[in-house]
Amino acid sequence: MTASDLVVSVPTDQLAADLQPLPAGVELVVWPMDAPAPRDRFDMVVPPYMSMAKVLARLEGVEVGLVQGQSIGYDGVAGLLPDGLRFANAASVHETSTAELAVGLTIAAQRRIDAFAVDTAAGRWAPVFADSLADRRVLVLGWGGVGTAVAARLAGFEVEITAVASRARVEDGVTVHGVDELPSLLPDAEIVIVTLPGGDATRGLVDDTFLAALPDGALVVNVGRGPVIDTDALVEHVRRGRIRAALDVTDPEPLPADHPLWGLPGVLIAPHVGGASSAMRPRVARLVKRQIERMLAGEQPLNVVLGG
């Protein structure tokens, strides 16, 4: 090691192996962040996946050039990150997998695949006449990386897509509506796919008023963050047979064993696995390698969302 080495901490031996080969002058340190920092300085630290809330305090007093998260979402990180540190999210890593799951949940709910899975386990032959995905009016709420990836995968299903984001604009030829237009858009939406991030700006956006504006039988799919939906309002609308739901994220999360969403007819739940697929490992490694290459070249890192 020399004074000019770039020192990078990764949480697992697997990620260290996935990063090989690395350019000369890069030192990898495997640090799961389950103990005090083994160094007083790192050029980059990659915390473990899905457990940043428990470990970021270990960076207190450590000199760190960049904290590179492994998730797209970063709500709550600002309150946990020691002062003065920069944080980058994992944009480019999870969009594809999350979009796959969003479309999968939509098809499963529309074509009753969840019910067929139960019938399979019970040895029961029970045909149904189901709702198609084809010809449906789909409102994608959130027009960032995941939202646009969802729309790209829906393109072959012969649906009518309405894009909604925080502000109205035309992006890559697509007319994107602002959230202030939702009252006029929701009555026509047969399927709403939520891809919004968490935080105060989106908390409770899908509330009783939002759900009441949807037509009877509408499907709400959430692959963004659980608190975007008012859970009590959703439960009430589903219980009345007004709305169906397919959720990869919930509020609270994980759901307690006695939560009313469990076993509620018309609800399909996945346990926050949007990014948890075989696509993740190579894409995380690709992003970390790009950050290392940019640091070696004296360039600014990608995806800096805090402390930039």
Side-chain angles (χ1 to χ4, degrees):
M1 174 180 174
T2 69
S4 61
D5 280 345
L6 195 76
V7 183
V8 177
S9 158
V10 295
T12 64
D13 291 323
Q14 183 66 69
L15 180 53
D18 290 343
L19 289 170
Q20 301 302 324
L22 281 170
V26 178
E27 181 188 6
L28 279 184
V29 177
V30 177
W31 177 36
M33 300 184 72
D34 56 353
R39 304 285 179 87
D40 57 11
R41 177 192 158 278
F42 293 101
D43 292 282
M44 179 164 58
V45 170
V46 182
Y49 183 52
M50 297 292 282
S51 61
M52 284 195 301
K54 302 175 183 177
V55 301
L56 286 181
R58 293 200 181 276
L59 296 177
E60 191 70 53
V62 182
E63 183 184 347
V64 180
L66 179 70
V67 181
Q68 174 60 62
Q70 296 191 61
S71 298
I72 300 175
Y74 56 94
D75 44 303
V77 172
L80 301 168
L81 195 68
D83 291 342
L85 299 189
R86 289 189 300 175
F87 180 86
N89 74 344
S92 78
V93 171
H94 299 291
E95 289 87 342
T96 293
S97 262
T98 304
E100 282 179 354
L101 185 63
V103 175
L105 287 170
T106 303
I107 294 173
Q110 289 293 97
R111 298 303 303 269
R112 301 304 312 277
I113 295 173
D114 53 339
F116 297 153
V118 174
D119 291 341
T120 298
R124 181 169 50 241
W125 185 272
V128 298
F129 190 88
D131 293 313
S132 67
L133 176 53
D135 303 328
R136 301 284 71 81
R137 298 183 298 274
V138 181
L139 187 150
V140 179
L141 181 54
W143 200 248
V146 175
T148 54
V150 168
R153 281 149 187 80
L154 287 174
F157 286 95
E158 302 177 35
V159 300
E160 178 185 328
I161 296 176
T162 298
V164 180
S166 58
R167 58 179 178 84
R169 59 187 184 271
V170 176
E171 184 175 309
D172 298 326
V174 176
T175 297
V176 182
H177 300 269
V179 290
D180 58 313
E181 299 176 66
L182 281 172
S184 64
L185 298 172
L186 292 175
D188 201 42
E190 297 170 290
I191 299 171
V192 175
I193 300 180
V194 181
T195 68
L196 291 169
D200 292 340
T202 61
R203 188 179 308 277
L205 177 63
V206 180
D207 58 8
D208 180 69
T209 300
F210 182 111
L211 296 170
L214 292 171
D216 288 347
L219 171 67
V220 176
V221 180
N222 190 6
V223 294
R225 284 293 182 266
V228 174
I229 295 181
D230 179 332
T231 303
D232 292 340
L234 180 65
V235 168
E236 177 59 26
H237 279 264
V238 174
R239 277 179 172 160
R240 291 193 281 118
R242 275 261 310 125
I243 298 296
R244 297 170 296 131
L247 311 170
D248 182 48
V249 289
T250 60
D251 182 29
E253 190 174 297
L255 284 179
D258 60 349
H259 197 278
L261 278 174
W262 289 122
L264 190 61
V267 174
L268 172 61
I269 296 173
H272 199 155
V273 292
S277 80
S278 57
M280 178 182 170
R281 265 183 49 198
R283 289 167 188 252
V284 166
R286 189 182 312 152
L287 175 59
V288 173
K289 270 188 122 166
R290 288 182 69 193
Q291 300 287 46
I292 289 171
E293 290 164 357
R294 292 178 73 89
M295 288 181 170
L296 288 173
E299 299 173 353
Q300 290 299 309
L302 303 167
N303 304 342
V304 173
V305 291
L306 296 171

